[in-house]
Amino acid sequence: MNRFALCVSAAIARVTESALGPYQTAVIRIGFSVTWLLFLLREFPHREEMYGPGGPWSWDLAQQLISNNGAFTALMWSDGGFWFETVYALAVLASFLLLLGWRTRTMSVLFMVGVLSMQNRSIFMGDGGDNVLHLMCVYLVFTRCGQVWSLDARRARLTSEARARGEHVADRVGPALWGVLGLALTAVTLSGRLFDGEEFVPLLLWTIWLAQALWWLTGRRAKTGQPRILLDVVANIVHNGALFVIMAEACLIYATAGWYKIQGSRWQDGTAVYYPLHLDYFSPWPALADVLAASGTMVMLVTYGTVAAQVAFPFTLFNRRVKNVLLAVMMIEHAAIAVLLGLPFFSLAMIAADAVFLPTSFLRRLGGWAARARGRLVPSTGRTTLPKPRAPESAADVTDAGDVGDTPVGSRA
């Protein structure tokens, strides 16, 4: 009984004392922001037809649909072209800044607003990857995704070093950003547009904004006081819960897809891969598709292999080695889908979701390779070499700079 109590106590301490998976949350932050950013940039010449008020899915049709399903989208606050261009530009900017890890708390929220605004405006624009991105952008808001591989982590490290030398460091950008966004949120709320649809997203925006203020106030009074410790514990619990949900969502996607494929006649007779390879819409490289389709054995192996991998994936999590092998296979498969079927953004979204299961040792080596490659491309200019970035001992290490714009809020939900 004592051993059981010790195990429970250790599990509770692990969940509450630190934000788990700093490298995994960083890589999914990078993966999803890259996916959305590249999509917005590629579709920039066609943005009016896809999401603009003058597109085939007109503003009136979108308004009728949203009045029924209550979906959140900032694009429905005005039917003017200037507002559309502003929201589109802000979505691009938020994706880029989230990729860099600049003020990740704020940027993750703006990233979510950009994704939901575009996708809910025209629900027929997507290839499957948009559904994954739609879900993950909400989960990402609750994670501390800027602990490593971000400008936030670099700023926190430099701030800690400056304070260790006895220097006073004051952050002005965070409070200013918080104030500007607060004014914008207040203006939209008073206009009556914010709560037109479902109330989850508007309430989430206000909760995060108020929680950031609470975090900043407690941080100014005492970095290690009881209120700050309590907020840090709550933030760790929220982060770890969101990370678990992301992992469960990825497993659910694969399990559901695999079991539905088993019920399909085309997957049972081994021809489900053959037919898409002969459709012009899914054949950007017809010659390459013909080479693959010419081998019946290869088509059958790919068809049955896909079903087996998707059904088995959730069960392989109990064995690290088997999981890593199957994870590599599935990432290679998604890369092949991007090339053979012309679905790059679907594949990028799925690879980003898969990355949450990558081992920490591999991600650390990957970060080391990237740092060495950057060092070769950008030679040193004689400045003092900074110590190698490390994963913080706790999530509080990332936020000791007193930054309202990048605080892992005590409760982001």
Side-chain angles (χ1 to χ4, degrees):
M1 191 68 180
N2 291 334
R3 181 176 298 179
F4 175 76
L6 289 175
C7 292
V8 172
S9 177
I12 294 175
R14 182 171 174 80
V15 172
T16 58
E17 292 178 358
S18 63
L20 304 177
Y23 290 94
Q24 285 77 8
T25 50
V27 77
I28 62 175
R29 181 200 86 227
I30 295 171
F32 286 116
S33 59
V34 165
T35 301
W36 185 239
L37 178 62
L38 293 179
F39 175 80
L40 293 178
L41 293 178
R42 192 195 72 168
E43 301 300 341
F44 185 79
H46 315 291
R47 64 191 185 283
E48 285 284 351
E49 291 80 5
M50 296 178 64
Y51 303 112
W57 188 250
S58 66
W59 195 83
D60 292 334
L61 290 174
Q63 191 175 42
Q64 294 177 27
L65 178 62
I66 291 173
S67 64
N68 293 326
N69 60 21
F72 172 85
T73 170
L75 288 178
M76 298 308 297
W77 296 348
S78 173
D79 60 351
F82 176 77
W83 176 246
F84 165 73
E85 297 293 347
T86 301
V87 173
Y88 199 95
L90 290 176
V92 173
L93 180 61
S95 302
F96 179 69
L97 294 178
L98 183 63
L99 169 62
L100 297 179
W102 185 81
R103 312 284 170 174
T104 50
R105 286 303 154 260
T106 300
M107 290 307 123
S108 63
V109 175
L110 295 180
F111 177 77
M112 177 193 70
V113 171
V115 172
L116 297 182
S117 295
M118 296 296 172
Q119 292 187 353
N120 290 336
R121 168 63 176 82
S122 298
I123 61 174
F124 302 106
M125 299 296 174
D127 53 12
D130 59 309
N131 295 325
V132 178
L133 186 62
H134 193 103
L135 294 171
M136 295 301 180
C137 75
V138 178
Y139 303 151
L140 198 62
V141 170
F142 299 96
T143 64
R144 287 176 151 174
C145 54
Q147 298 179 85
V148 296
W149 298 346
S150 67
L151 295 179
D152 291 340
R154 179 180 180 274
R155 186 180 67 254
R157 185 176 68 255
L158 295 177
T159 301
S160 298
E161 292 173 358
R163 286 177 175 170
R165 295 191 300 267
E167 300 176 5
H168 175 70
V169 179
D171 176 48
R172 295 181 176 84
V173 177
L177 187 61
W178 176 85
V180 170
L181 294 178
L183 289 175
L185 195 58
T186 302
V188 175
T189 302
L190 293 178
S191 68
R193 296 185 178 92
L194 187 62
F195 288 91
D196 283 345
E198 63 180 22
E199 296 185 355
F200 169 73
V201 174
L203 289 177
L204 178 62
L205 296 178
W206 272 111
T207 301
I208 293 173
W209 186 78
L210 294 174
Q212 297 238 25
L214 180 61
W215 182 278
W216 182 70
L217 290 174
T218 56
R220 285 183 62 86
R221 293 182 179 275
K223 293 293 182 183
T224 58
Q226 292 295 329
R228 183 60 176 264
I229 294 175
L230 176 61
L231 291 179
D232 196 51
V233 169
V234 173
N236 289 335
I237 295 174
V238 171
H239 166 92
N240 295 327
L243 184 61
F244 175 78
V245 171
I246 291 174
M247 299 172 69
E249 187 70 44
C251 291
L252 182 62
I253 290 172
Y254 283 122
T256 304
W259 285 107
Y260 270 110
K261 285 181 173 67
I262 290 176
Q263 302 175 46
S265 60
R266 292 292 176 261
W267 290 94
Q268 293 175 6
D269 60 28
T271 59
V273 175
Y274 177 83
Y275 290 110
L277 293 174
H278 288 78
L279 296 176
D280 293 338
Y281 184 79
F282 293 109
S283 298
W285 310 98
L288 187 60
D290 291 341
V291 171
L292 178 61
S295 174
T297 302
M298 181 61 70
V299 171
M300 184 188 68
L301 290 176
V302 172
T303 304
Y304 281 98
T306 299
V307 175
Q310 291 182 344
V311 172
F313 181 74
F315 302 100
T316 63
L317 300 181
F318 298 100
N319 188 293
R320 181 177 299 179
R321 293 184 178 179
V322 176
K323 181 263 294 182
N324 291 339
V325 172
L326 190 57
L327 188 61
V329 170
M330 298 184 74
M331 286 185 170
I332 293 173
E333 179 186 13
H334 287 306
I337 290 174
V339 175
L340 293 174
L341 300 182
L343 299 172
F345 300 110
F346 165 78
S347 298
L348 280 175
M350 292 307 303
I351 291 174
D354 293 341
V356 73
F357 298 105
L358 289 173
T360 301
S361 58
F362 170 76
L363 291 175
R364 284 177 175 173
R365 287 196 300 269
L366 185 64
W369 296 336
R372 287 192 293 271
R374 183 184 60 184
R376 295 190 186 98
L377 294 175
V378 184
S380 176
T381 58
R383 293 176 296 179
T384 303
T385 303
L386 295 174
K388 182 179 180 180
R390 61 175 178 85
E393 295 296 331
S394 69
D397 294 344
V398 182
T399 59
D400 280 344
D403 172 18
V404 174
D406 178 49
T407 51
V409 294
S411 174
R412 304 177 67 189

